[in-house]
Amino acid sequence: MKAILSCANTRHFIAFASGMMRLVQRQRVEKYRSHSQLSYIILCRRPTRGDIWLLYETGGAFCLLFLLRTVAQENLRTALQYVVVFMTTQVFALCFTAVVYRASPFHPLAKFPGPFLNKITSLKIALTVASGRRYSIIEKLHKKYGPFLRTGPNTISINLHQAVGPIYASSSAWNKSAAYSLGQLPGAGLFFIRDREAHNFRKRHYWAGAFTSNALSDNYFMLNCRTNFLLDALARRSQGLRGVVDVSTALQHWSHDVTGEFIFGDAYSKNLLRDGDRRGEVAVAIFEMEVFEVLGEVPSLFDVLWYLPLTRIFRAMDVSAERLLALRRSQASQKRNLAYYLLKGGGNSIPSLSDVDLRQETIVAVQAGTNGISTALTFALYYLTRNPKKCEILRDELQLAFPDADPDGSLDPQILGTLPYLNAVVEESLRLGAPLGSFPRVTGKGGAMIAGTYIPEGTIVGVPAWAQNVSEDNFSPSPTSFLPERWLRNEDTPDMCTRSSAMMTFSHGPFGCIGKPLAYQEMRIVISKIVLAYSFSFPVEFNTEIFEDGVRNLRATSFSMPLLLELDRLR
């Protein structure tokens, strides 16, 4: 028996030794076709699926147990002990070898600085993401280590504006990483399509029609009505004589109502602003994005956990999406909402989306159209409240543009689009109201040069969105201060640096957010109506430091302390 176990261990360690020799010779990992495949699974910078690896390991354990029982004639207890010892030794050896290699000078990313734990395991960055403070932690690490930062065994963060163009903005932008793989979930929504060409095809033939100027104009009446519901809800939700309102929650409800009707039209009959979120839809949507964001940093672990109850959250929105799609189909409506274009497709030569893909697309649209815009609006009102003089400048501009306007009426979107200070407030709110991490991409064949530095093929690369949004190289002076004036080109701001191409709120290029024009339209109308309708201030109990410290982002942004405002009706 000892001879058998010793022989097995010897063969295994010979595989490791062989693999390490090839690493030294080639300075990168190659796919082995020999018996050293287990070494490859751990050491390769592009590991196999976690569930497949677990299946191999479990199968190997059962095979060993079978051999010990049938060939070596060991009793069950002894055989199990040998299996446990062997498998523990194997896993330890694999992990030890992986750590040594990833931290060694032979790793292709050895020249990039970063914390030691980040170099040897993806679990460290996953924990950073789970804290909700990745956006600020990565910014601080860049200040310590420089513009190139190794955040994982095969992951680089590049805090340089020069990196935005080749990685995101060019027509040959890099494909998305495995962080966008939703475990074993069937179907694919636009956000989770990793290939650039496949993504462009889906966006062009199924999504683009809903975001043309004409389509957005057709939806403006709905947007105006829903925003009037918001004004009414703010009045109803006032607490006590001082009129204190939880504005952040109201904006979340508003965003779900607007997005639901934008997608499904009349099939969406909910009114969270009026009835409240009785089913916890906002919390479910946020939690789903948070789980995805954390597990996306360790795709192999995601593959394993996919079979556990934890990931049932990814099916939570399926029932609602299926019901609304079925109702939308039964209405046979010609109203040009997003579901109309998804169901219609790109024409006779373009295949229709499957039911599974349709369901995923509508869920993607809900996720994309709710938390991001409600967060940006929350920050807009927060900064306007902290800066009352800037709020007065904005109110004066709006009153001059709409002298006799009733906030409950309709504000001309064409006029709103021409108001300089309003649009400056919108831009600054989107810049400071997006505490995002990065949008990970994969370096293509042959690698790439970024700012004179070679990035090896297959490396996962991202530009930290928040760090770019508050970089002094891109926005100065005072990059973390709310200064709408930085977006105005006049003689009062000659020394201000405002590099709009560096703003990463919507990403850039082929994978950029298709809903950007809708988001700007929503920002303008909500900010304008609230500023015209109300004066607002912080209640005595509201602490701005606690509010800012309580901001957490795991793709979705949440607030430990809600934004509370005292509202007084003006019109």
Side-chain angles (χ1 to χ4, degrees):
M1 177 59 227
K2 292 181 178 178
I4 294 176
L5 192 58
S6 175
C7 180
N9 277 319
T10 300
R11 288 198 305 271
H12 186 70
F13 281 104
I14 288 174
F16 279 115
S18 172
M20 290 303 293
M21 288 298 294
R22 296 173 72 173
L23 288 172
V24 172
Q25 293 169 358
R26 303 185 185 187
Q27 295 192 10
R28 66 183 298 122
V29 180
E30 302 291 345
K31 292 186 177 181
Y32 306 146
R33 294 184 180 180
S34 65
H35 54 282
S36 61
Q37 181 152 1
L38 285 176
S39 300
Y40 162 72
I41 291 174
I42 294 296
L43 296 177
C44 180
R45 295 187 298 124
R46 295 177 294 274
T48 191
R49 270 175 43 181
D51 53 348
I52 300 299
W53 180 84
L54 184 61
L55 182 63
Y56 285 157
E57 290 292 287
T58 305
F62 277 107
C63 288
L64 180 58
L65 180 63
F66 175 77
L67 290 174
L68 290 172
R69 292 281 287 151
T70 58
V71 178
Q73 299 295 312
E74 298 285 354
N75 62 54
L76 180 61
R77 181 176 179 179
T78 302
L80 286 173
Q81 288 176 341
Y82 278 125
V83 169
V84 170
V85 170
F86 177 78
M87 299 305 293
T88 301
T89 303
Q90 179 205 42
V91 171
F92 175 79
L94 290 172
C95 292
F96 177 77
T97 310
V99 168
V100 170
Y101 169 60
R102 290 169 175 175
S104 75
F106 303 114
H107 193 280
L109 303 185
K111 65 180 179 182
F112 296 101
F116 177 76
L117 287 178
N118 289 72
K119 294 180 180 181
I120 65 174
T121 176
S122 297
L123 293 175
K124 182 61 173 69
I125 189 64
L127 291 174
T128 301
V129 172
S131 73
R133 305 287 295 182
R134 172 171 62 173
Y135 65 96
S136 59
I137 292 173
I138 294 297
E139 183 203 1
K140 292 175 183 177
L141 287 175
H142 272 293
K143 289 180 179 179
K144 178 179 180 180
Y145 290 101
F148 290 88
L149 172 69
R150 188 173 172 190
T151 58
N154 187 42
T155 307
I156 298 294
S157 177
I158 306 177
N159 190 22
L160 288 173
H161 175 249
Q162 303 93 297
V164 174
I167 297 175
Y168 302 103
S170 70
S171 59
S172 57
W174 303 356
N175 288 335
K176 293 182 176 182
S177 74
Y180 290 87
S181 296
L182 266 178
Q184 308 309 313
L185 189 72
L190 183 70
F191 182 72
F192 301 104
I193 297 176
R194 295 164 55 189
D195 180 76
R196 183 184 66 247
E197 297 306 321
H199 182 278
N200 286 346
F201 182 88
R202 179 72 64 87
K203 180 165 67 173
R204 182 170 61 252
H205 292 292
Y206 300 95
W207 280 73
F211 295 93
T212 63
S213 298
N214 289 337
L216 293 178
S217 295
D218 290 343
N219 274 286
Y220 190 75
F221 177 77
M222 175 275 294
L223 178 58
N224 185 71
C225 289
R226 290 286 184 177
T227 306
N228 288 340
F229 290 157
L230 172 63
L231 297 182
D232 293 340
L234 292 175
R236 288 196 311 272
R237 296 182 183 192
S238 298
Q239 299 174 0
L241 298 177
R242 291 185 298 124
V244 177
V245 182
D246 178 354
V247 175
S248 50
T249 298
L251 288 170
Q252 289 176 333
H253 292 169
W254 168 88
S255 67
H256 275 261
D257 286 343
V258 168
T259 302
E261 189 166 350
F262 179 82
I263 298 169
F264 299 105
D266 295 337
Y268 183 88
S269 57
K270 300 176 185 177
N271 192 327
L272 300 187
L273 282 169
R274 180 190 62 207
D275 304 326
D277 186 13
R278 298 174 181 175
R279 297 185 178 182
E281 294 180 21
V282 173
V284 167
I286 291 176
F287 185 62
E288 180 174 322
M289 285 190 278
E290 291 177 342
V291 172
F292 158 74
E293 186 74 352
V294 175
L295 295 182
E297 294 295 334
V298 278
S300 295
L301 180 61
F302 199 171
D303 292 329
V304 175
L305 296 179
W306 179 255
Y307 301 95
L308 301 179
L310 169 70
T311 52
R312 287 179 183 169
I313 187 65
F314 289 100
R315 293 91 160 176
M317 298 178 69
D318 287 7
V319 174
S320 176
E322 285 182 353
R323 181 182 61 80
L324 288 169
L325 276 170
L327 183 57
R328 177 64 179 77
R329 275 193 174 114
S330 67
Q331 292 176 340
S333 172
Q334 295 303 304
K335 188 175 291 186
R336 304 301 176 91
N337 43 55
L338 179 59
Y340 168 85
Y341 292 98
L342 293 176
L343 291 167
K344 175 177 176 287
N348 296 330
S349 60
I350 306 299
S352 299
L353 292 175
S354 67
D355 288 345
V356 174
D357 282 342
L358 279 169
R359 185 174 66 240
Q360 292 305 322
E361 291 291 19
T362 56
I363 293 174
V364 164
V366 170
Q367 302 283 32
T370 52
N371 183 265
I373 188 65
S374 65
T375 297
L377 286 167
T378 297
F379 276 109
L381 295 177
Y382 170 74
Y383 284 118
L384 287 173
T385 308
R386 285 203 69 174
N387 299 271
K389 290 184 179 179
K390 299 184 188 302
C391 186
E392 284 303 317
I393 294 173
L394 175 59
R395 184 174 289 114
D396 289 343
E397 181 182 72
L398 290 168
Q399 290 176 341
L400 183 63
F402 304 99
D404 301 317
D406 179 356
D408 293 328
S410 179
L411 301 180
D412 189 334
Q414 301 299 324
I415 296 177
L416 292 177
T418 64
L419 301 181
Y421 203 78
L422 170 63
N423 286 283
V425 168
V426 168
E427 295 285 2
E428 191 73 342
S429 301
L430 289 169
R431 182 180 72 87
L432 294 176
L436 301 171
S438 68
F439 308 99
R441 303 292 186 258
V442 182
T443 312
K445 187 175 181 179
M449 294 292 293
I450 300 292
T453 300
Y454 175 71
I455 310 296
E457 173 185 337
T459 302
I460 299 171
V461 176
V463 175
W466 172 254
Q468 280 290 291
N469 283 2
V470 296
S471 169
E472 196 162 2
D473 293 335
N474 300 326
F475 302 96
S476 66
S478 306
T480 59
S481 298
F482 182 75
L483 297 174
E485 292 77 12
R486 74 172 80 248
W487 297 92
L488 303 175
R489 300 291 188 266
N490 56 46
E491 62 277 5
D492 296 329
T493 59
D495 298 325
M496 283 193 173
C497 170
T498 305
R499 185 178 281 168
S500 58
S501 61
M503 198 164 80
M504 294 289 293
T505 304
F506 297 99
S507 189
H508 295 278
F511 288 111
C513 178
I514 192 173
K516 181 178 178 179
L518 174 61
Y520 274 90
Q521 190 180 72
E522 291 173 329
M523 291 286 290
R524 292 186 191 112
I525 188 173
V526 173
I527 293 173
S528 298
K529 279 180 170 285
I530 291 179
V531 169
L532 284 172
Y534 291 101
S535 65
F536 36 87
S537 59
F538 295 127
V540 176
E541 66 270 21
F542 186 80
N543 188 304
T544 57
E545 290 185 5
I546 294 177
F547 175 79
E548 293 186 11
D549 290 341
V551 176
R552 297 289 182 269
N553 180 273
L554 293 89
R555 187 67 61 180
T557 302
S558 58
F559 301 92
S560 299
M561 169 181 277
L563 177 61
L564 302 177
L565 296 180
E566 289 184 10
L567 302 180
D568 290 315
R569 187 81 187 201
L570 295 176
R571 292 189 181 184

